[in-house]
Amino acid sequence: MNSKDKAAQILSKAEVVINGPQPIDLQVKDERVYDRVFSGGSLALGESYMDGWWDVEDLSGAISKILRSNIPDSLRNAGVIWHFVKSWVLNRQNQTRAFEVGEKHYDIGNDLYERMLGKRMVYTCGYWSSPTTPAQDLDDAQEQKLDLVCRKIGLKPGQVVLDVGCGWGSFAKFAAEKYGAKVVGITISKEQAALARERCKGLDVEIRVEDYRDTKGQFDHIISLGMFEHVGPKNYRTYMRKMNELLKDDGIFLLHTIGGNHSVMASDAWLDKYIFPNGVLPSVTQIGRAIERLFIMEDWHNFGPDYDKTLMAWWANFDKHWPEIKDSYSGRFYRMWKYYLMTCAAVFRARESQLWQIVLTKQGLVGGYRAVR
């Protein structure tokens, strides 16, 4: 069986047809794509899309169908296996490499992120599924998420919060403006820090460019929104020890992270190369082991399907504003960014990844913690 026939057979399990009429059917532009993908796995699949060798009208829908059919298991190869072996042997998130993702991803251009993320520039999952007032749009969903975090930690005026991985200062600005908090935000991105300082000007907010391992101080609360994915399995225990050291005895630590259904040591090879170098999604087991004897788990909230909506809203913003920024990027970058946002949306739609908010305390709250939704 040649590679084209093999691809057609595999895709049929997901009811996806090569050059078919449906929006989820793959349209092949270069017949070399079949051999390329079978020899190069998920990395080659993404790169061949960037090169225009194949296309599909509903990219997120197609990938979601494929994921639900367990087809990716058919695309394992030596290159993919070597990527995972390196991650087992090496600590790819050590302090020497900590700033790599900032330089390669977060520093690519504030002009892009300002147009994509919405008015508060929140680069984490919005909260669309509030049981009382479901969000109506991206800005509303992000506003509700930031408020949800503040309510979960019981934030009060004058309290000092450490924001680990503060991005462009979205939480810091919100918490200072709405709750009267003092916030220290840390990031490994110089571009993020510069804009965060500008956006938080006049507020009781300090933005630092530093690795979490270098942070000093004592804080009433700690929050981390979408940063733990960059920590790496070999550093989970180190990270939790550091958070325990920085948190006051009666404080609350809220960890907001994408999570995987299985324990792994590496991420998808394409995502690692082009979007988030050295990133890895933690599992329930890995987080549980990391917090043992350091924290008590008070609450674990999963709203992973909300990330599908968030990513699709980001894509709509990016696509709408592309004409304004395209002179600073390339056509191949456009296809790369589309593939990134659409495939990630598909992963959450297929329930392959989750979004967790985990509330942790050092000694357990007297009388218990009242879950907030």
Side-chain angles (χ1 to χ4, degrees):
M1 182 184 296
N2 62 36
S3 57
K4 180 177 180 179
D5 291 340
K6 183 180 178 181
Q9 183 182 74
I10 292 173
L11 289 171
S12 68
K13 298 176 183 178
E15 300 178 334
V16 172
V17 178
I18 296 173
N19 296 328
Q22 301 302 314
I24 63 168
D25 290 336
L26 272 59
Q27 308 302 315
V28 173
K29 311 294 184 180
D30 190 318
E31 293 285 317
R32 294 176 296 172
V33 70
Y34 306 111
D35 289 337
R36 183 178 181 182
V37 171
F38 280 116
S39 64
S42 65
L43 177 59
L45 183 68
E47 289 182 332
S48 60
Y49 179 83
M50 291 164 61
D51 292 337
W53 285 23
W54 64 275
D55 218 327
V56 58
E57 181 182 341
D58 182 4
L59 179 56
S60 64
I63 298 298
S64 178
K65 287 275 286 185
I66 289 168
L67 288 171
R68 294 291 284 185
S69 302
N70 297 317
I71 287 177
D73 293 340
S74 306
L75 299 177
R76 295 281 185 198
N77 63 40
V80 173
I81 293 170
W82 174 237
H83 173 64
F84 278 81
V85 169
K86 284 193 299 182
S87 300
W88 273 102
V89 175
L90 304 174
N91 182 357
R92 300 180 71 231
Q93 300 82 17
N94 61 29
Q95 243 174 317
T96 305
R97 298 181 178 183
F99 289 78
E100 185 178 348
V101 68
E103 295 166 356
K104 291 189 176 181
H105 186 77
Y106 298 108
D107 288 350
I108 61 174
N110 286 335
D111 58 343
L112 185 158
Y113 291 112
E114 284 175 313
R115 288 163 175 80
M116 185 180 86
L117 298 179
K119 67 180 183 181
R120 284 198 176 272
M121 292 192 71
V122 187
Y123 199 16
T124 50
C125 181
Y127 188 44
W128 300 78
S129 53
S130 166
T132 53
T133 54
Q136 300 303 306
D137 56 29
L138 178 63
D139 287 335
D140 187 18
Q142 296 294 17
E143 196 92 2
Q144 291 207 36
K145 189 272 296 298
L146 295 173
D147 191 63
L148 179 69
V149 171
C150 292
R151 290 187 290 119
K152 282 186 175 184
I153 63 174
L155 188 57
K156 295 179 174 59
Q159 289 187 325
V160 183
V161 184
L162 174 65
D163 183 354
V164 182
C166 66
W168 293 273
S170 57
F171 173 83
K173 188 173 189 294
F174 182 90
E177 287 177 338
K178 305 290 185 179
Y179 281 80
K182 300 178 181 180
V183 185
V184 174
I186 63 171
T187 175
I188 42 77
S189 166
K190 295 178 182 177
E191 291 295 320
Q192 283 188 334
L195 188 54
R197 289 173 184 136
E198 182 182 325
R199 290 169 62 86
C200 295
K201 192 175 296 183
L203 298 171
D204 203 344
V205 172
E206 178 189 355
I207 304 295
R208 305 175 186 170
V209 178
E210 67 182 21
D211 181 74
Y212 69 90
R213 283 162 283 215
D214 295 325
T215 301
K216 307 293 183 184
Q218 279 278 286
F219 301 91
D220 296 303
H221 304 295
I222 300 174
I223 66 105
S224 183
L225 309 181
M227 176 272 177
F228 195 63
E229 300 89 333
H230 301 304
V231 169
K234 291 182 180 294
N235 305 303
Y236 290 158
R237 186 66 174 174
T238 298
Y239 176 91
M240 291 301 177
R241 284 198 184 103
K242 187 64 179 182
M243 297 304 109
N244 179 277
E245 172 193 316
L246 296 170
L247 185 66
K248 291 183 178 179
D249 287 345
D250 59 350
I252 294 177
F253 170 32
L254 184 141
L255 180 67
H256 170 118
T257 183
I258 299 171
N261 296 337
H262 311 285
S263 298
V264 298
M265 295 297 289
S267 69
D268 171 79
W270 183 87
L271 204 67
D272 179 80
K273 180 176 180 179
Y274 288 98
I275 307 298
F276 296 116
N278 309 323
V280 185
L281 300 186
S283 69
V284 171
T285 299
Q286 289 169 324
I287 293 174
R289 287 173 179 163
I291 66 174
E292 189 171 345
R293 297 186 181 275
L294 294 173
F295 290 106
I296 291 173
M297 193 276 290
E298 301 281 5
D299 186 43
W300 197 304
H301 182 190
N302 183 0
F303 53 99
D306 286 17
Y307 229 142
D308 178 12
K309 293 181 179 180
T310 303
L311 284 152
M312 294 305 290
W314 286 344
W315 160 247
N317 283 344
F318 174 78
D319 191 45
K320 177 183 176 181
H321 294 290
W322 174 250
E324 301 168 21
I325 60 173
K326 65 179 183 179
D327 290 344
S328 301
Y329 302 91
S330 66
R332 195 167 189 264
F333 177 90
Y334 175 87
R335 290 184 67 82
M336 180 188 80
W337 210 253
K338 179 178 182 179
Y339 190 78
Y340 153 50
L341 295 174
M342 288 287 195
T343 55
C344 285
V347 165
F348 286 99
R349 196 176 308 164
R351 300 309 306 277
E352 288 287 316
S353 292
Q354 314 305 324
L355 188 285
W356 299 322
Q357 282 192 351
I358 308 166
V359 176
L360 303 167
T361 59
K362 290 170 72 168
Q363 300 175 344
L365 298 182
V366 177
Y369 177 82
R370 180 178 176 274
V372 175
R373 298 292 185 269

